[in-house]
Coordinates of all heavy atoms in Angstrom, one line a residue:
M1 N 18.0 -4.5 12.4 CA 17.3 -3.9 11.2 C 15.8 -4.0 11.4 O 15.3 -5.2 11.5 CB 17.8 -4.6 10.0 CG 17.4 -4.0 8.7 SD 18.2 -4.5 7.2 CE 17.0 -5.8 6.6
S2 N 15.1 -3.0 11.4 CA 13.7 -3.0 11.6 C 13.0 -2.9 10.2 O 13.3 -2.0 9.4 CB 13.2 -1.9 12.5 OG 13.2 -0.7 11.9
E3 N 12.0 -3.7 10.0 CA 11.3 -3.6 8.7 C 9.9 -3.2 9.1 O 9.2 -3.8 9.9 CB 11.4 -5.0 8.0 CG 12.7 -5.3 7.6 CD 12.8 -6.7 6.9 OE1 11.7 -7.4 6.9 OE2 13.8 -7.1 6.4
R4 N 9.4 -2.2 8.3 CA 8.1 -1.7 8.6 C 7.1 -2.6 7.9 O 7.3 -2.9 6.7 CB 7.9 -0.3 8.1 CG 8.9 0.6 8.9 CD 8.9 2.0 8.3 NE 9.2 2.0 6.8 CZ 8.9 2.8 5.9 NH1 8.2 3.8 6.2 NH2 9.2 2.7 4.6
Q5 N 6.0 -2.8 8.5 CA 4.9 -3.6 7.8 C 3.7 -2.8 8.0 O 3.3 -2.5 9.1 CB 4.8 -5.0 8.3 CG 3.6 -5.7 7.7 CD 3.8 -5.8 6.1 OE1 4.8 -6.3 5.6 NE2 2.8 -5.3 5.5
R6 N 3.0 -2.5 7.0 CA 1.8 -1.7 7.1 C 0.5 -2.5 7.1 O 0.5 -3.5 6.3 CB 1.7 -0.6 6.0 CG 2.8 0.4 6.2 CD 2.7 1.7 5.4 NE 2.8 1.3 4.0 CZ 2.8 2.2 3.0 NH1 2.4 3.4 3.3 NH2 2.9 1.8 1.8
Y7 N -0.4 -2.2 7.9 CA -1.7 -2.9 7.9 C -2.8 -1.9 7.7 O -2.7 -0.8 8.0 CB -1.9 -3.6 9.3 CG -0.9 -4.6 9.6 CD1 0.4 -4.2 10.1 CD2 -1.1 -6.0 9.3 CE1 1.3 -5.2 10.4 CE2 -0.2 -6.9 9.7 CZ 1.0 -6.6 10.2 OH 1.9 -7.5 10.5
R8 N -3.9 -2.5 7.2 CA -5.1 -1.7 7.0 C -6.1 -2.0 8.2 O -6.4 -3.2 8.3 CB -5.7 -2.0 5.7 CG -6.5 -0.8 5.2 CD -6.9 -1.0 3.8 NE -8.1 -1.9 3.6 CZ -8.3 -2.6 2.5 NH1 -7.4 -2.5 1.5 NH2 -9.3 -3.5 2.4
F9 N -6.5 -1.0 8.9 CA -7.4 -1.2 10.1 C -8.7 -0.6 9.7 O -8.7 0.4 9.0 CB -6.8 -0.5 11.3 CG -5.6 -1.3 11.9 CD1 -4.3 -0.9 11.3 CD2 -5.7 -2.1 12.9 CE1 -3.2 -1.5 11.8 CE2 -4.5 -2.8 13.4 CZ -3.3 -2.5 12.9
R10 N -9.8 -1.2 10.3 CA -11.1 -0.7 10.1 C -11.8 -0.4 11.5 O -11.7 -1.3 12.3 CB -11.9 -1.6 9.2 CG -13.3 -1.0 9.0 CD -14.1 -2.0 8.2 NE -13.6 -2.2 6.8 CZ -13.7 -3.4 6.1 NH1 -14.3 -4.4 6.7 NH2 -13.2 -3.4 4.9
A11 N -12.4 0.7 11.6 CA -13.2 0.9 12.8 C -14.6 0.3 12.5 O -15.3 0.6 11.6 CB -13.4 2.4 13.0
P12 N -15.0 -0.7 13.4 CA -16.2 -1.5 13.1 C -17.5 -0.7 13.0 O -18.3 -0.9 12.1 CB -16.3 -2.4 14.4 CG -14.9 -2.5 14.9 CD -14.2 -1.1 14.6
S13 N -17.7 0.4 13.8 CA -18.9 1.1 13.7 C -19.0 2.1 12.6 O -20.1 2.2 12.0 CB -19.1 1.8 15.1 OG -18.2 3.0 15.1
T14 N -17.9 2.7 12.2 CA -18.0 3.7 11.1 C -17.5 3.1 9.8 O -17.8 3.7 8.8 CB -17.1 4.9 11.5 OG1 -15.7 4.5 11.6 CG2 -17.5 5.5 12.8
G15 N -16.7 2.0 9.8 CA -16.2 1.5 8.6 C -15.0 2.3 8.0 O -14.5 2.0 7.0
R16 N -14.6 3.3 8.9 CA -13.5 4.1 8.4 C -12.2 3.3 8.5 O -12.0 2.6 9.4 CB -13.3 5.3 9.4 CG -12.6 6.5 8.8 CD -12.8 7.7 9.6 NE -12.2 7.6 11.0 CZ -10.9 8.0 11.2 NH1 -10.2 8.6 10.3 NH2 -10.4 7.8 12.4
E17 N -11.4 3.4 7.4 CA -10.2 2.6 7.4 C -8.9 3.5 7.4 O -8.9 4.6 6.9 CB -10.2 1.8 6.1 CG -11.3 0.8 6.0 CD -11.1 -0.2 4.8 OE1 -10.2 0.1 4.0 OE2 -11.8 -1.2 4.9
V18 N -7.9 3.0 8.2 CA -6.7 3.7 8.2 C -5.6 2.8 8.0 O -5.7 1.6 8.2 CB -6.5 4.4 9.6 CG1 -7.5 5.5 9.9 CG2 -6.7 3.4 10.7
I19 N -4.5 3.3 7.5 CA -3.3 2.5 7.3 C -2.3 2.8 8.4 O -1.9 4.0 8.5 CB -2.7 2.7 5.9 CG1 -3.7 2.1 4.9 CG2 -1.4 2.0 5.7 CD1 -3.4 2.4 3.4
I20 N -1.8 1.8 9.1 CA -0.9 2.0 10.2 C 0.3 1.1 10.0 O 0.1 -0.1 9.6 CB -1.6 1.8 11.5 CG1 -2.8 2.8 11.7 CG2 -0.6 1.9 12.7 CD1 -3.6 2.4 13.0
E21 N 1.5 1.6 10.3 CA 2.6 0.7 10.4 C 2.5 0.0 11.7 O 3.0 0.5 12.8 CB 3.9 1.5 10.3 CG 4.1 2.0 8.9 CD 5.4 2.8 8.8 OE1 6.2 2.9 9.8 OE2 5.6 3.4 7.7
G22 N 1.9 -1.2 11.7 CA 1.6 -1.9 12.9 C 2.7 -2.7 13.5 O 3.5 -3.2 12.8
Q23 N 2.6 -2.8 14.8 CA 3.5 -3.7 15.4 C 2.7 -4.9 16.0 O 1.7 -4.7 16.6 CB 4.3 -3.0 16.5 CG 5.2 -1.9 16.0 CD 5.8 -1.0 17.1 OE1 5.4 -1.2 18.2 NE2 6.5 0.0 16.7
P24 N 3.3 -6.1 15.9 CA 2.6 -7.3 16.4 C 2.2 -7.1 17.9 O 3.1 -6.6 18.7 CB 3.6 -8.4 16.2 CG 4.5 -8.0 15.1 CD 4.6 -6.5 15.4
G25 N 1.0 -7.5 18.3 CA 0.6 -7.5 19.7 C 0.2 -6.1 20.2 O -0.2 -6.0 21.3
H26 N 0.2 -5.2 19.3 CA -0.2 -3.8 19.7 C -1.7 -3.6 19.4 O -2.2 -4.1 18.4 CB 0.7 -2.8 18.9 CG 0.9 -1.6 19.6 ND1 2.0 -1.3 20.3 CD2 0.2 -0.4 19.7 CE1 2.0 -0.1 20.9 NE2 0.8 0.4 20.5
T27 N -2.4 -2.9 20.2 CA -3.8 -2.7 19.9 C -3.9 -1.2 19.5 O -3.4 -0.3 20.1 CB -4.6 -2.9 21.2 OG1 -4.6 -4.3 21.5 CG2 -6.1 -2.5 20.8
Y28 N -4.6 -1.0 18.4 CA -4.8 0.4 17.9 C -6.3 0.8 18.0 O -7.2 0.0 17.8 CB -4.4 0.4 16.4 CG -2.9 0.2 16.3 CD1 -2.4 -1.1 16.0 CD2 -2.0 1.2 16.5 CE1 -1.0 -1.3 16.0 CE2 -0.6 1.0 16.3 CZ -0.2 -0.2 16.1 OH 1.2 -0.5 16.0
R29 N -6.5 2.0 18.3 CA -7.8 2.5 18.5 C -8.1 3.7 17.6 O -7.3 4.4 17.2 CB -8.0 3.0 20.0 CG -7.9 1.9 21.0 CD -8.1 2.4 22.4 NE -8.0 1.3 23.4 CZ -9.0 0.5 23.7 NH1 -10.2 0.7 23.1 NH2 -8.9 -0.5 24.6
D30 N -9.4 3.8 17.2 CA -9.8 4.8 16.4 C -9.7 6.2 17.1 O -10.1 6.2 18.3 CB -11.3 4.6 16.0 CG -11.7 5.6 15.0 OD1 -11.6 5.3 13.7 OD2 -12.3 6.7 15.4
R31 N -9.2 7.1 16.4 CA -8.9 8.4 17.0 C -10.2 9.1 17.5 O -10.2 9.8 18.4 CB -8.2 9.3 16.0 CG -7.2 10.3 16.6 CD -6.4 11.0 15.5 NE -5.7 10.2 14.6 CZ -5.3 10.6 13.4 NH1 -5.5 11.7 13.0 NH2 -4.7 9.6 12.6
E32 N -11.3 8.9 16.7 CA -12.6 9.6 17.1 C -13.4 8.8 18.1 O -13.9 9.3 19.1 CB -13.3 10.0 15.8 CG -12.7 11.2 15.2 CD -13.1 11.2 13.6 OE1 -14.2 10.7 13.3 OE2 -12.3 11.7 12.8
T33 N -13.6 7.5 17.7 CA -14.6 6.8 18.6 C -13.9 6.1 19.7 O -14.5 5.7 20.7 CB -15.3 5.8 17.7 OG1 -14.3 4.8 17.3 CG2 -15.9 6.4 16.5
G34 N -12.6 5.8 19.6 CA -11.9 5.2 20.7 C -12.1 3.6 20.7 O -11.5 2.9 21.5
E35 N -12.8 3.1 19.7 CA -13.0 1.7 19.6 C -11.8 1.0 19.1 O -11.0 1.6 18.4 CB -14.2 1.3 18.8 CG -14.1 1.8 17.3 CD -15.4 1.6 16.6 OE1 -16.2 0.8 16.9 OE2 -15.6 2.5 15.7
V36 N -11.6 -0.2 19.4 CA -10.5 -1.0 19.0 C -10.7 -1.3 17.4 O -11.7 -1.7 17.0 CB -10.4 -2.3 19.7 CG1 -9.2 -3.2 19.1 CG2 -10.1 -2.1 21.2
L37 N -9.6 -1.0 16.7 CA -9.6 -1.2 15.3 C -9.3 -2.7 14.9 O -8.4 -3.3 15.6 CB -8.6 -0.3 14.6 CG -8.7 1.2 14.8 CD1 -7.5 1.9 14.2 CD2 -10.0 1.6 14.1
E38 N -10.0 -3.2 14.0 CA -9.7 -4.5 13.5 C -8.9 -4.5 12.3 O -9.1 -3.7 11.4 CB -11.0 -5.3 13.4 CG -12.1 -4.6 12.7 CD -13.5 -5.3 12.6 OE1 -13.8 -5.9 13.7 OE2 -14.1 -5.4 11.6
V39 N -8.0 -5.5 12.2 CA -7.1 -5.6 11.1 C -7.9 -6.2 9.9 O -8.5 -7.1 9.9 CB -6.0 -6.5 11.3 CG1 -5.0 -6.7 10.1 CG2 -5.1 -6.0 12.5
V40 N -7.8 -5.3 8.8 CA -8.5 -5.8 7.6 C -7.5 -6.5 6.7 O -7.9 -7.5 6.1 CB -9.1 -4.5 6.8 CG1 -9.9 -5.0 5.6 CG2 -10.0 -3.8 7.7
A41 N -6.4 -6.0 6.5 CA -5.4 -6.6 5.6 C -4.1 -6.1 5.9 O -3.8 -5.1 6.5 CB -5.7 -6.2 4.1
R42 N -3.1 -7.0 5.5 CA -1.7 -6.7 5.6 C -1.3 -6.2 4.2 O -1.7 -6.8 3.2 CB -0.9 -7.8 6.0 CG 0.6 -7.4 6.1 CD 1.4 -8.6 6.7 NE 1.4 -9.8 5.9 CZ 2.2 -10.8 6.1 NH1 3.0 -10.8 7.1 NH2 2.2 -11.8 5.3
L43 N -0.7 -5.0 4.1 CA -0.5 -4.5 2.8 C 0.8 -4.9 2.2 O 1.9 -5.0 2.8 CB -0.4 -2.9 2.9 CG -1.7 -2.2 3.3 CD1 -1.5 -0.7 3.4 CD2 -2.8 -2.5 2.4
T44 N 0.8 -5.2 0.9 CA 2.0 -5.5 0.1 C 2.4 -4.1 -0.5 O 1.6 -3.3 -0.8 CB 1.7 -6.5 -0.9 OG1 0.7 -6.2 -1.7 CG2 1.5 -7.8 -0.2
P45 N 3.6 -3.9 -0.9 CA 4.6 -4.8 -0.8 C 5.1 -5.0 0.6 O 5.1 -4.1 1.4 CB 5.8 -4.0 -1.6 CG 5.4 -2.7 -1.4 CD 3.9 -2.5 -1.4
L46 N 5.5 -6.2 0.9 CA 6.1 -6.6 2.2 C 7.4 -6.0 2.2 O 8.2 -5.9 1.3 CB 6.2 -8.1 2.3 CG 4.9 -8.9 2.1 CD1 5.2 -10.3 2.3 CD2 3.9 -8.5 3.2
A47 N 7.7 -5.3 3.5 CA 9.0 -4.7 3.6 C 10.1 -5.7 3.5 O 9.9 -6.8 4.0 CB 9.0 -3.9 5.0
P48 N 11.3 -5.4 3.0 CA 11.6 -4.2 2.4 C 11.2 -4.2 0.9 O 11.1 -5.2 0.2 CB 13.1 -4.1 2.5 CG 13.5 -5.5 2.5 CD 12.4 -6.3 3.1
S49 N 10.9 -3.0 0.3 CA 10.6 -2.9 -1.1 C 11.1 -1.5 -1.6 O 11.2 -0.6 -0.8 CB 9.1 -3.0 -1.2 OG 8.6 -2.4 -2.4
P50 N 11.3 -1.4 -2.9 CA 11.8 -0.1 -3.4 C 10.6 0.9 -3.4 O 10.9 2.1 -3.5 CB 12.2 -0.4 -4.8 CG 11.6 -1.7 -5.1 CD 11.5 -2.4 -3.8
S51 N 9.4 0.4 -3.2 CA 8.2 1.3 -3.3 C 7.6 1.4 -2.0 O 7.5 0.5 -1.2 CB 7.3 0.8 -4.4 OG 6.1 1.5 -4.3
D52 N 7.1 2.6 -1.7 CA 6.3 2.8 -0.5 C 4.8 2.7 -0.7 O 4.0 2.7 0.2 CB 6.5 4.2 0.1 CG 7.8 4.1 1.1 OD1 8.1 3.0 1.6 OD2 8.4 5.1 1.3
L53 N 4.4 2.5 -1.9 CA 3.0 2.5 -2.2 C 2.4 1.1 -2.0 O 3.0 0.1 -2.5 CB 2.8 3.0 -3.7 CG 3.0 4.4 -4.0 CD1 2.7 4.6 -5.5 CD2 2.1 5.2 -3.2
P54 N 1.3 1.0 -1.4 CA 0.6 -0.3 -1.3 C 0.1 -0.7 -2.7 O -0.1 0.1 -3.6 CB -0.6 0.0 -0.4 CG -0.8 1.4 -0.4 CD 0.5 2.1 -0.8
W55 N -0.1 -2.0 -2.9 CA -0.6 -2.5 -4.1 C -2.1 -2.4 -4.3 O -2.8 -3.4 -4.4 CB -0.2 -4.0 -4.3 CG 1.2 -4.1 -4.6 CD1 2.3 -4.3 -3.7 CD2 1.9 -4.3 -5.8 NE1 3.5 -4.4 -4.3 CE2 3.3 -4.4 -5.6 CE3 1.4 -4.3 -7.2 CZ2 4.2 -4.6 -6.7 CZ3 2.3 -4.5 -8.2 CH2 3.7 -4.6 -7.9
A56 N -2.5 -1.1 -4.2 CA -3.9 -0.9 -4.3 C -4.1 -0.4 -5.8 O -3.2 0.1 -6.4 CB -4.5 0.2 -3.4
V57 N -5.3 -0.7 -6.3 CA -5.6 -0.4 -7.8 C -5.2 1.0 -8.1 O -4.6 1.3 -9.2 CB -6.9 -0.7 -8.1 CG1 -7.3 -0.2 -9.6 CG2 -7.3 -2.2 -8.0
E58 N -5.5 1.9 -7.2 CA -5.3 3.4 -7.5 C -3.8 3.7 -7.6 O -3.4 4.7 -8.0 CB -6.0 4.3 -6.6 CG -5.7 4.2 -5.2 CD -6.6 3.1 -4.5 OE1 -7.2 2.3 -5.1 OE2 -6.8 3.2 -3.2
N59 N -3.0 2.8 -7.0 CA -1.5 3.0 -7.1 C -0.7 2.3 -8.1 O 0.5 2.2 -8.1 CB -1.0 2.7 -5.6 CG -1.4 3.7 -4.6 OD1 -1.7 4.9 -4.9 ND2 -1.6 3.3 -3.4
L60 N -1.5 1.6 -9.0 CA -0.9 0.8 -10.0 C -1.2 1.4 -11.4 O -2.1 2.0 -11.6 CB -1.4 -0.6 -9.9 CG -1.1 -1.4 -8.6 CD1 -1.9 -2.7 -8.5 CD2 0.4 -1.7 -8.4
R61 N -0.2 1.0 -12.3 CA -0.5 1.2 -13.7 C 0.1 0.0 -14.5 O 0.8 -0.8 -13.9 CB 0.2 2.5 -14.1 CG 1.7 2.5 -13.9 CD 2.3 3.7 -14.6 NE 3.7 4.0 -14.1 CZ 4.5 4.7 -14.7 NH1 4.2 5.3 -15.8 NH2 5.7 5.0 -14.3
H62 N -0.3 -0.1 -15.7 CA 0.1 -1.1 -16.5 C 1.5 -0.7 -17.3 O 1.6 0.4 -17.8 CB -0.8 -1.5 -17.6 CG -2.0 -2.3 -17.0 ND1 -3.2 -1.7 -16.6 CD2 -2.1 -3.6 -16.7 CE1 -4.0 -2.6 -16.1 NE2 -3.4 -3.8 -16.1
C63 N 2.4 -1.6 -17.2 CA 3.7 -1.3 -17.9 C 3.4 -1.4 -19.4 O 2.7 -2.3 -19.9 CB 4.7 -2.4 -17.6 SG 6.2 -2.4 -18.6
P64 N 3.8 -0.5 -20.2 CA 3.4 -0.4 -21.6 C 4.3 -1.5 -22.4 O 3.9 -1.8 -23.6 CB 3.9 1.0 -22.1 CG 4.9 1.4 -21.1 CD 4.5 0.8 -19.8
H65 N 5.2 -2.0 -21.8 CA 6.1 -3.0 -22.5 C 5.6 -4.5 -22.3 O 5.4 -5.2 -23.3 CB 7.6 -2.9 -22.0 CG 8.1 -1.6 -22.1 ND1 8.3 -0.9 -23.3 CD2 8.5 -0.7 -21.2 CE1 8.8 0.3 -23.1 NE2 8.9 0.5 -21.8
C66 N 5.3 -4.8 -21.1 CA 4.9 -6.2 -20.8 C 3.5 -6.3 -20.3 O 3.0 -7.4 -20.1 CB 5.9 -6.8 -19.8 SG 5.8 -6.1 -18.2
A67 N 2.8 -5.1 -20.0 CA 1.4 -5.1 -19.6 C 1.2 -5.6 -18.3 O 0.0 -5.8 -17.9 CB 0.5 -5.8 -20.7
Q68 N 2.2 -5.9 -17.5 CA 2.1 -6.2 -16.1 C 1.8 -5.0 -15.2 O 2.2 -3.9 -15.6 CB 3.3 -7.0 -15.7 CG 3.5 -8.3 -16.3 CD 2.3 -9.3 -16.1 OE1 1.9 -9.6 -15.0 NE2 1.7 -9.7 -17.3
M69 N 1.3 -5.2 -14.1 CA 1.0 -4.1 -13.2 C 2.3 -3.6 -12.5 O 3.1 -4.5 -12.1 CB 0.0 -4.5 -12.1 CG -1.3 -5.0 -12.8 SD -2.5 -3.7 -12.8 CE -3.5 -4.1 -11.4
A70 N 2.4 -2.4 -12.3 CA 3.6 -1.8 -11.7 C 3.2 -0.6 -10.8 O 2.1 0.0 -11.1 CB 4.7 -1.4 -12.7
Q71 N 3.9 -0.4 -9.7 CA 3.5 0.7 -8.9 C 3.8 2.1 -9.5 O 4.8 2.2 -10.2 CB 4.2 0.6 -7.5 CG 3.5 -0.6 -6.7 CD 4.5 -1.3 -5.8 OE1 5.4 -1.9 -6.3 NE2 4.4 -1.2 -4.6
L72 N 3.0 3.0 -9.2 CA 3.1 4.3 -9.9 C 4.4 5.0 -9.6 O 4.9 5.7 -10.5 CB 2.0 5.2 -9.3 CG 0.6 5.0 -9.9 CD1 -0.4 5.9 -9.2 CD2 0.6 5.2 -11.4
D73 N 5.0 4.8 -8.4 CA 6.2 5.6 -8.1 C 7.5 4.9 -8.6 O 8.6 5.4 -8.3 CB 6.3 5.9 -6.6 CG 6.4 4.6 -5.8 OD1 6.0 3.5 -6.3 OD2 6.8 4.7 -4.6
L74 N 7.4 3.8 -9.3 CA 8.5 3.1 -9.8 C 8.9 3.6 -11.2 O 8.0 3.8 -12.0 CB 8.3 1.6 -9.9 CG 8.2 0.9 -8.5 CD1 8.0 -0.6 -8.7 CD2 9.4 1.2 -7.6
N75 N 10.1 3.8 -11.5 CA 10.6 4.2 -12.8 C 10.7 3.1 -13.8 O 10.5 3.2 -15.0 CB 11.9 5.0 -12.8 CG 11.6 6.4 -12.1 OD1 10.6 7.1 -12.2 ND2 12.7 6.8 -11.3
D76 N 11.2 2.0 -13.2 CA 11.4 0.8 -14.0 C 10.4 -0.3 -13.7 O 10.1 -0.5 -12.5 CB 12.8 0.3 -13.7 CG 13.9 1.3 -14.1 OD1 13.7 1.9 -15.2 OD2 14.8 1.5 -13.3
C77 N 10.0 -1.0 -14.6 CA 9.0 -2.0 -14.4 C 9.6 -3.2 -13.6 O 10.7 -3.7 -13.9 CB 8.5 -2.5 -15.8 SG 7.5 -4.0 -15.7
P78 N 8.9 -3.6 -12.5 CA 9.5 -4.7 -11.7 C 9.4 -6.0 -12.4 O 10.1 -7.0 -12.0 CB 8.6 -4.7 -10.4 CG 7.4 -4.0 -10.8 CD 7.7 -3.1 -11.9
T79 N 8.6 -6.1 -13.4 CA 8.5 -7.4 -14.1 C 9.5 -7.5 -15.3 O 10.2 -8.5 -15.3 CB 7.0 -7.5 -14.7 OG1 6.1 -7.3 -13.6 CG2 6.9 -8.9 -15.4
C80 N 9.5 -6.5 -16.2 CA 10.4 -6.7 -17.3 C 11.7 -5.9 -17.2 O 12.6 -5.9 -18.0 CB 9.7 -6.4 -18.6 SG 9.2 -4.6 -18.8
G81 N 11.6 -4.9 -16.2 CA 12.9 -4.1 -16.0 C 13.0 -2.9 -16.9 O 14.0 -2.2 -16.8
R82 N 12.1 -2.8 -17.8 CA 12.2 -1.6 -18.8 C 11.7 -0.4 -18.2 O 10.8 -0.4 -17.3 CB 11.6 -2.0 -20.0 CG 12.2 -3.2 -20.7 CD 11.4 -3.7 -21.9 NE 11.5 -2.8 -23.0 CZ 11.0 -3.0 -24.2 NH1 10.3 -4.1 -24.4 NH2 11.1 -2.2 -25.2
R83 N 12.2 0.7 -18.7 CA 11.8 2.0 -18.1 C 10.4 2.3 -18.6 O 10.1 2.3 -19.8 CB 12.9 3.0 -18.6 CG 12.6 4.4 -17.9 CD 13.9 5.2 -17.9 NE 13.8 6.3 -17.0 CZ 14.2 6.2 -15.7 NH1 14.7 5.1 -15.3 NH2 14.1 7.3 -14.9
M84 N 9.6 2.8 -17.6 CA 8.2 3.2 -18.0 C 8.1 4.7 -18.2 O 9.0 5.5 -17.7 CB 7.3 2.8 -16.9 CG 7.2 1.3 -16.7 SD 6.0 0.8 -15.5 CE 6.7 1.3 -14.0
P85 N 7.2 5.1 -19.0 CA 7.1 6.6 -19.4 C 6.7 7.3 -18.1 O 6.2 6.8 -17.1 CB 6.0 6.6 -20.4 CG 5.3 5.3 -20.3 CD 6.2 4.3 -19.8
P86 N 7.0 8.7 -18.1 CA 6.7 9.5 -16.9 C 5.2 9.5 -16.6 O 4.4 9.2 -17.5 CB 7.2 10.9 -17.3 CG 7.4 10.9 -18.7 CD 7.6 9.4 -19.2
L87 N 4.9 9.7 -15.3 CA 3.5 9.7 -14.9 C 2.7 10.8 -15.7 O 3.3 11.8 -16.0 CB 3.4 10.0 -13.4 CG 3.7 8.8 -12.5 CD1 3.4 9.2 -11.1 CD2 2.7 7.7 -12.8
G88 N 1.6 10.5 -16.0 CA 0.7 11.5 -16.8 C 0.7 11.1 -18.2 O -0.4 11.3 -18.9
A89 N 1.7 10.5 -18.7 CA 1.7 10.1 -20.1 C 0.8 8.9 -20.4 O 0.2 8.8 -21.5 CB 3.2 9.7 -20.5
T90 N 0.6 8.1 -19.4 CA -0.2 6.9 -19.6 C -1.4 6.8 -18.6 O -1.9 5.8 -18.2 CB 0.6 5.6 -19.4 OG1 1.2 5.7 -18.1 CG2 1.7 5.6 -20.5
A91 N -1.7 8.1 -18.1 CA -2.9 8.1 -17.1 C -4.1 7.4 -17.7 O -4.5 7.7 -18.8 CB -3.2 9.5 -16.7
T92 N -4.7 6.6 -16.9 CA -5.9 5.8 -17.3 C -7.1 6.3 -16.5 O -8.2 5.9 -16.8 CB -5.7 4.3 -17.1 OG1 -5.3 4.1 -15.8 CG2 -4.7 3.8 -18.0
V93 N -7.0 7.1 -15.5 CA -8.1 7.5 -14.7 C -8.5 8.9 -15.1 O -7.7 9.8 -15.2 CB -7.8 7.4 -13.2 CG1 -9.1 7.8 -12.4 CG2 -7.3 6.1 -12.8
Ligands
LIG101 ZN1 7.2 -4.4 -17.9

């Protein structure tokens, strides 16, 4: 069973960031500059997870029931388990 783990990489000269499903010991290079990308962060949720979205602010919303953060693509709040309203109904941006 393989579990994907995504990492955020940054190209040192340009600051451009990409998200790659990285494998340990593998070196990734920027597509344009060819320089070696440095790992900035490992993204949560750690595999396996019901959601594919990273826990970045733009991918989160507040559950209207318990006010905890939940990922946008989840129907049920992971904290309190209650159903959240459809996307758009509680848009905050
Ligand atoms: Zn909740």
Side-chain angles (χ1 to χ4, degrees):
M1 190 167 96
S2 75
E3 295 177 353
R4 300 171 304 158
Q5 176 60 57
R6 292 192 294 179
Y7 296 85
R8 206 165 80 208
F9 290 84
R10 179 184 295 148
S13 70
T14 60
R16 201 168 68 94
E17 294 190 352
V18 289
I19 292 174
I20 298 173
E21 286 179 6
Q23 292 169 3
H26 211 94
T27 299
Y28 295 92
R29 292 179 182 277
D30 187 88
R31 212 177 303 162
E32 285 159 25
T33 66
E35 65 192 323
V36 175
L37 298 173
E38 42 188 40
V39 177
V40 181
R42 185 169 65 168
L43 296 183
T44 52
L46 304 178
S49 160
S51 172
D52 271 338
L53 290 181
W55 287 85
V57 171
E58 60 267 26
N59 290 330
L60 296 172
R61 59 172 164 162
H62 286 95
C63 168
H65 307 294
C66 67
Q68 294 301 304
M69 302 262 259
Q71 284 146 299
L72 283 177
D73 62 340
L74 296 179
N75 292 324
D76 299 314
C77 171
T79 303
C80 68
R82 295 171 74 175
R83 191 157 194 91
M84 296 185 291
L87 281 181
T90 58
T92 54
V93 182

